[in-house]
Amino acid sequence: MDERVPRDPIIGRDAEIARLSALVADGSGGGRVLLLSGAEGTGKSTLLEEAVRRAEAAGHRVLRATGHGSERDLAFAGLHQLLRPVLHEAADLPDRQRLALLGAFGFVPDAPDPLLTGVAVLTLLSQVAERAPLLVVLDDAQWIDSASAAVLAFAARRLDADPIAVLVAARDGDPGLDRDFPTLTLGPLDDVASRRLLDLHSPGLTGRIRKRVLDQAAGNPLALLELAEHARPDRDDHGPPPVGERLEDIYAARLTELPEAGRRALLLLAAADVEDPPDAVLALLPDADDKAWPAVEESGLIRRAGRHPRFRHPLIRSAVYHAAPFDARVAAHRALADALRDEPDRRAWHLAAATLHPDADVSAALEHTAGRARRRGGYAAAAKALARAAELRPGRDDGARLLADAAGLAVFTGDLSWVRELADRARDRTDDPAVIAVASLHVGRLAALTRQHATAFAGLAAIADDLAATRPDTALDALATAAVLRFYSGEESQRREIDRILPRLPAGPLRDWVRIVSDPFGGGRELVPRLPDLIAAAGDRPERRTALAVAAWVLDELPLAVRTFEEAVQSWRAAGPLPDGLGGVVALAYFEYGHWEQARTVCAELAELSVAAGLAHAVACARAIDAMVQASHGNAAGARALAEEALRLVNPLESRSVAIYARRALAVAALAEGDHEAAYEHARMVFDADGDPVHYHASYPALPELAASAARGGHHADAVEIVERSARALARGGSPRLRALVHRSRALLAEPGHAEPDFLAALADPALESWPFERAQTLLEYAEWLRRRRRIAEARPYLSTAYDIFRRLGARPWTERAQAELRAAGLDVDTPDPDAFAGLSPQQQQIVRLAARGLTNREIGERLFLSPRTVGSHLYRTFPKLGVTARSQLRDVLETGTRTTG
């Protein structure tokens, strides 16, 4: 094989490839014979091909054969296929062996002698291996005829001294040769490998369809590829997805061997949904002692879990379902609908699957199902039900309305392609401008999380402009989403467009929200006193509470924002992922509030959803905020990697907010390493050439980073100009927090004798304790200034408070800096007891080690088979013993303990 020909990588089988490589190289790795066992589609043939490629590249000879069902009853057919390329060398065998081998193949009239035939095969293989090492490969060995299998097993057991390796692949439960040989079982791919394989072969598959393929394939590589190839985004029918001819043929061959009653039972099982009550389904099946069951169970298509039969793999369910005639599938769904009269949601879906033409009653039943799913927070299920209800609704305009509503619910799944598809179907069914506008609005809401912010804003603004007079509520919804885009992009022309349209729309909380998000310093702060009442009025509607929490965060009402997020996000999480990409703001609020672990958890959730859905802006937002947390922890390398990834994912002119968060992370990382020039370079990019903010909201919190790096890096005059321009801009509408940051920045840039008033002004408002990292930095900087003025007694309380906050947060570089200042001020600083770790239980030591590596409580629990709550309880009890207050300090404990014991 030409090594220059590109090959797709084999995903998720590194350990298996290593074992095959060892076998091919020198016969190690468990012996000279290895059986590969696994279900259909697990990749046995792919691994055999990889072994052959490596063997041939190493100069080995390869003999191979593949079993075929049609030849299973032909004695020695498999052996003949294997030896045919070297059969001419049988002339060199001893006469009796040569005649035995030729007799087995029918070339001479002598009846075959099994023992002598086995010896002949062993001798022939040894002859071939004298010139080069030999690899014998048997694929689909379950179909090899028994005579060939017996002879090959005989030879394989006697290869001790020969440079021969035998590699056999067979289906689960049917080794084809001998169960006593070493066996390597191929299980399903894990979740990470499954996603990598799907991304490699079907990179355009996203959202709902991608998740369905991953769930249905259950880690089977062939299933992933086949299901992805045949996945259709417009399929909302009940029942499993089609698997393609290749897989269908594999399982259909087994179906043909079953009695009719067995096939009917399997079709009922395949038509039943996993959510259907199992006892109701069981009542439709033949009795357990029915004569059809033994054949069904012997087919290997099902297994029993107590009384209930289950398919051995989801693929088998799909193959059985789609191999059946359409009329039989319809009959199965009708039978299930009759059996599920007390389960209205399940009954509605089975009726829909059995309905071929518009039917108002079935459509209405599905609409009721969607309503119940929505109230439970099942947005994907509700959208799917509405989409199917629309297909069955007799009136075109009514169907279009249902499709538009389905698109609105699908927004909360993060699947942009599905939202677009539903919106397109709605627009195709109606000329009603209101329905068309609503459908387009839903697309724009999710398109906000892609990179095309300018295009999405233009479409939303046009909807708001067109409908302001006739459909003001829809227009206001559109403008609210446009305001989100204005926040993402920071584009000033978009604010002017919002200001032009907004006065034409009705007053109320949503109009106020638009003002806050699009222009918080141009009158938005006037709305601060009303926020608690607005949040209370939102009741138990998490989408409204979350939106108002965003407004509170934008206005720097951080405690109110975090409290509201805590209440609203729990409701969202009960139903699925965070809505509309608002997880980015949630993560920022947690970070600013000092809940850094929660911030990272939210970033991980947001990134996972957004990567799967292809929402580049949302992925970049999660990466940038995570980078800010990592930089503040002192993980400069990790922060840089995340920030640089975020910058690669977005257009900085259309996602200015994300670009600024990434730049701030890079600046903080550089400050943590003492590289003030690099820190200033990144912080300076948060402001334009004239010194104005690149983003009307995200730029201002970077002022202290700009000032700190400029004060030590020779850019004093430039930084002073930027700080003063910002001070003038924030004088009227800026929050107390932003004014405190201006004072802090002025203090850092002031002449040594004139810094104290600004330091004191920056620390004056007790409400600023809600931003603990910012406050601790200010305390430390003021204390450093006091100590340089030899006012050591005054500096000590500020240093102690800052040190405690940094330790609690796990801000390593700042903790070390405060620790050094405390010692310089003549105070003893507690250090972790190096013997404390040894005093923990083995389980507690494991938990501490994993936590020190950055694993979350959930990840630790999965590894140690503990609940996240139990992990958290252990950490809570161990922190005081170790003398730490934050997870980031655990690494110091471990390093100290290692140095002591070493």
Side-chain angles (χ1 to χ4, degrees):
M1 183 180 293
D2 189 346
E3 288 296 311
R4 294 170 296 179
V5 177
R7 296 176 295 107
D8 287 337
I10 299 175
I11 305 296
R13 300 297 191 198
D14 292 349
E16 291 85 350
I17 290 174
R19 187 164 175 184
L20 294 182
S21 298
L23 179 80
V24 169
D26 57 13
S28 65
R32 295 179 182 272
V33 182
L34 182 64
L35 300 182
L36 276 181
S37 176
E40 292 94 335
T42 49
K44 300 184 295 294
S45 297
T46 299
L47 288 174
L48 291 186
E49 290 297 332
E50 178 67 11
V52 168
R53 185 190 70 80
R54 294 182 180 227
E56 290 178 339
H60 296 191
R61 181 75 182 268
V62 178
L63 295 177
R64 56 198 304 184
T66 300
H68 297 281
S70 61
E71 297 183 355
R72 190 172 189 179
D73 296 326
L74 299 178
F76 296 111
L79 185 64
H80 181 262
Q81 182 190 163
L82 181 75
L83 298 181
R84 186 179 178 186
V86 295
L87 200 55
H88 63 281
E89 298 189 33
D92 298 329
L93 294 176
D95 286 344
R96 292 183 63 214
Q97 294 183 31
R98 176 174 54 80
L99 291 173
L101 186 60
L102 295 179
F105 297 148
F107 294 147
V108 297
D110 295 346
D113 180 334
L115 179 61
L116 203 52
T117 302
V119 173
V121 170
L122 178 60
T123 305
L124 180 59
L125 293 177
S126 297
Q127 284 181 190
V128 173
E130 287 177 358
R131 294 187 296 277
L134 176 64
L135 175 65
V136 176
V137 176
L138 299 179
D139 199 0
D140 283 332
Q142 71 274 3
W143 300 118
I144 294 287
D145 62 278
S146 58
S148 295
V151 167
L152 289 171
F154 173 88
R157 282 191 288 267
R158 291 162 174 79
L159 295 175
D160 297 337
D162 296 286
I164 301 173
V166 179
L167 189 53
V168 181
R171 192 174 63 194
D172 266 345
D174 193 349
L177 286 188
D178 192 321
R179 295 178 186 273
D180 293 335
F181 289 120
T183 300
L184 177 60
T185 301
L186 299 185
L189 298 178
D190 62 25
D191 291 343
V192 173
S194 294
R195 291 193 291 267
R196 285 178 57 206
L197 181 62
L198 194 57
D199 290 340
L200 176 67
H201 290 274
S202 300
L205 204 63
T206 60
R208 173 185 60 111
I209 303 301
R210 182 177 189 269
K211 184 179 186 302
R212 191 180 189 195
V213 167
L214 288 166
D215 290 344
Q216 185 74 11
N220 185 293
L222 178 59
L224 278 167
L225 303 183
E226 288 283 304
L227 291 171
E229 182 179 348
H230 295 86
R232 285 172 46 190
D234 59 337
R235 291 190 69 94
D236 275 325
D237 55 320
H238 197 64
V243 297
E245 293 182 6
R246 188 176 174 191
L247 282 171
E248 193 170 309
D249 289 347
I250 290 174
Y251 295 113
R254 299 196 214 174
L255 283 173
T256 60
E257 301 172 359
L258 299 179
E260 177 64 24
R263 290 198 295 272
R264 282 199 305 270
L266 287 178
L267 178 57
L268 276 167
L269 280 174
D273 193 87
V274 293
E275 296 180 10
D276 290 342
D279 287 338
V281 177
L282 187 64
L284 297 175
L285 301 177
D287 293 335
D289 57 357
D290 192 284
K291 62 182 180 180
W293 283 119
V296 171
E297 294 182 9
E298 288 172 9
S299 72
L301 297 173
I302 66 166
R303 57 181 172 80
R304 284 199 175 271
R307 296 186 305 128
H308 302 289
R310 298 282 188 270
F311 288 109
R312 294 185 65 84
H313 192 279
L315 284 176
I316 301 176
R317 178 189 175 219
S318 295
V320 168
Y321 184 85
H322 291 283
F326 181 75
D327 289 346
R329 299 204 300 263
V330 168
H333 283 296
R334 284 178 178 157
L336 287 162
D338 288 342
L340 296 170
R341 292 186 177 277
D342 295 332
E343 298 283 341
D345 293 340
R346 310 309 322 140
R347 182 172 185 271
W349 272 114
H350 285 296
L351 286 173
T355 303
L356 307 181
H357 305 290
D359 187 310
D361 291 338
V362 177
S363 177
L366 282 171
E367 193 171 0
H368 291 311
T369 288
R372 286 187 287 270
R374 181 177 185 175
R375 287 191 291 276
R376 294 192 303 269
Y379 294 97
K384 183 180 175 183
L386 283 183
R388 182 64 176 136
E391 293 174 358
L392 296 175
R393 187 60 57 95
R396 286 179 58 81
D397 285 344
D398 283 346
R401 175 186 57 79
L402 289 173
L403 284 166
D405 290 345
L409 293 170
V411 166
F412 297 112
T413 70
D415 188 347
L416 179 58
S417 62
W418 189 23
V419 175
R420 281 178 170 154
E421 178 243 320
L422 291 169
D424 287 343
R425 287 164 60 187
R427 288 188 287 251
D428 289 343
R429 290 186 61 145
T430 186
D431 296 323
D432 186 336
V435 175
I436 292 172
V438 167
S440 300
L441 167 60
H442 294 321
V443 174
R445 289 170 65 193
L446 204 51
L449 300 181
T450 68
R451 286 180 278 218
Q452 307 302 317
H453 290 165
T455 302
F457 180 90
L460 291 163
I463 292 172
D465 203 12
D466 293 343
L467 299 183
T470 58
R471 301 273 182 172
D473 290 342
T474 301
L476 194 51
D477 281 341
L479 204 62
T481 304
V484 173
L485 285 162
R486 146 73 173 160
F487 184 88
Y488 291 158
S489 71
E491 176 58 48
E492 185 62 16
S493 63
Q494 293 178 358
R495 180 193 62 77
R496 292 194 294 270
E497 183 69 356
I498 290 171
D499 287 348
R500 181 183 69 80
I501 299 170
L502 194 59
R504 299 160 52 198
L505 299 178
L510 187 55
R511 181 170 139 169
D512 292 340
W513 188 90
V514 172
R515 287 179 61 200
I516 291 169
V517 172
S518 65
D519 190 15
F521 308 134
R525 287 206 60 78
E526 298 171 3
L527 302 170
V528 168
R530 296 177 51 199
L531 280 175
D533 291 338
L534 293 174
I535 291 170
D540 59 355
R541 290 167 290 187
E543 67 276 16
R544 292 196 181 182
R545 295 180 71 86
T546 304
L548 290 165
V550 170
W553 175 80
V554 167
L555 294 173
D556 279 334
E557 296 298 309
L558 188 58
L560 178 63
V562 170
R563 190 163 60 248
T564 307
F565 276 136
E566 290 281 1
E567 296 164 355
V569 169
Q570 293 307 316
S571 299
W572 281 113
R573 283 210 178 101
L578 293 172
D580 279 339
L582 294 176
V585 176
V586 178
L588 274 169
Y590 281 146
F591 168 64
E592 292 175 355
Y593 204 55
H595 294 178
W596 290 1
E597 293 294 332
Q598 287 176 273
R600 295 207 66 201
T601 298
V602 172
C603 286
E605 292 173 355
L606 175 61
E608 182 178 4
L609 166 67
S610 305
V611 166
L615 304 176
H617 171 88
V619 177
C621 186
R623 298 288 189 251
I625 298 166
D626 199 5
M628 292 173 69
V629 182
Q630 292 279 47
S632 302
H633 274 310
N635 181 4
R640 275 194 291 271
L642 289 165
E644 288 163 3
E645 181 186 355
L647 291 171
R648 285 194 301 271
L649 285 170
V650 296
N651 178 343
L653 297 179
E654 297 205 13
S655 297
R656 289 185 178 93
S657 58
V658 169
I660 285 171
Y661 301 143
R663 290 294 172 193
R664 284 193 64 197
L666 291 169
V668 173
L671 282 171
E673 293 181 323
D675 188 347
H676 298 99
E677 189 62 35
Y680 184 79
E681 180 182 340
H682 292 299
R684 185 62 180 83
M685 296 178 73
V686 173
F687 299 87
D688 65 18
D690 295 329
D692 290 322
V694 168
H695 187 278
Y696 65 97
H697 185 274
S699 290
Y700 290 123
L703 284 170
E705 287 124 37
L706 178 86
S709 55
R712 301 184 184 185
H715 302 280
H716 186 274
D718 185 39
V720 167
E721 173 61 23
I722 293 172
V723 169
E724 293 309 316
R725 289 175 77 95
S726 298
R728 290 191 292 272
L730 296 170
R732 185 174 64 88
S735 66
R737 176 234 182 168
L738 291 178
R739 289 196 292 271
L741 292 180
V742 168
H743 282 298
R744 176 183 161 202
S745 302
R746 281 172 167 165
L748 291 169
L749 293 166
E751 291 296 325
H754 299 89
E756 188 165 26
D758 280 309
F759 273 131
L760 293 174
L763 294 168
D765 192 338
L768 299 181
E769 292 180 6
S770 297
W771 287 264
F773 189 45
E774 292 176 3
R775 184 168 181 83
Q777 288 175 301
T778 310
L779 289 167
L780 174 60
E781 289 156 355
Y782 180 41
E784 289 173 333
W785 183 89
L786 288 171
R787 195 181 65 79
R788 288 194 296 269
R789 308 271 80 73
R790 301 186 182 280
R791 295 160 59 181
I792 293 175
E794 294 176 66
R796 286 172 178 166
Y798 296 110
L799 285 172
S800 297
T801 303
Y803 176 69
D804 289 342
I805 295 172
F806 291 139
R807 283 191 65 187
R808 177 175 62 81
L809 295 175
R812 175 198 289 266
W814 287 267
T815 302
E816 294 172 352
R817 185 170 144 193
Q819 191 176 61
E821 285 291 326
L822 281 167
R823 287 179 178 142
L827 293 177
D828 292 331
V829 182
D830 292 336
T831 56
D833 179 2
D835 297 324
F837 180 76
L840 301 180
S841 71
Q843 186 179 70
Q844 288 174 331
Q845 290 181 2
Q846 280 184 297
I847 291 172
V848 168
R849 287 192 183 97
L850 293 173
R853 287 166 50 190
L855 274 68
T856 65
N857 289 359
R858 182 178 299 278
E859 291 167 337
I860 296 170
E862 288 174 356
R863 294 199 181 196
L864 302 183
F865 305 102
L866 300 172
S867 72
R869 184 183 298 274
T870 300
V871 173
S873 177
H874 277 299
L875 288 173
Y876 178 80
R877 291 196 299 271
T878 58
F879 274 25
K881 297 177 184 178
L882 299 175
V884 301
T885 57
R887 297 168 85 100
S888 59
Q889 296 170 284
L890 294 175
R891 188 167 51 181
D892 290 336
V893 172
L894 294 179
E895 290 174 355
T896 302
T898 301
R899 287 194 298 268
T900 303
T901 57

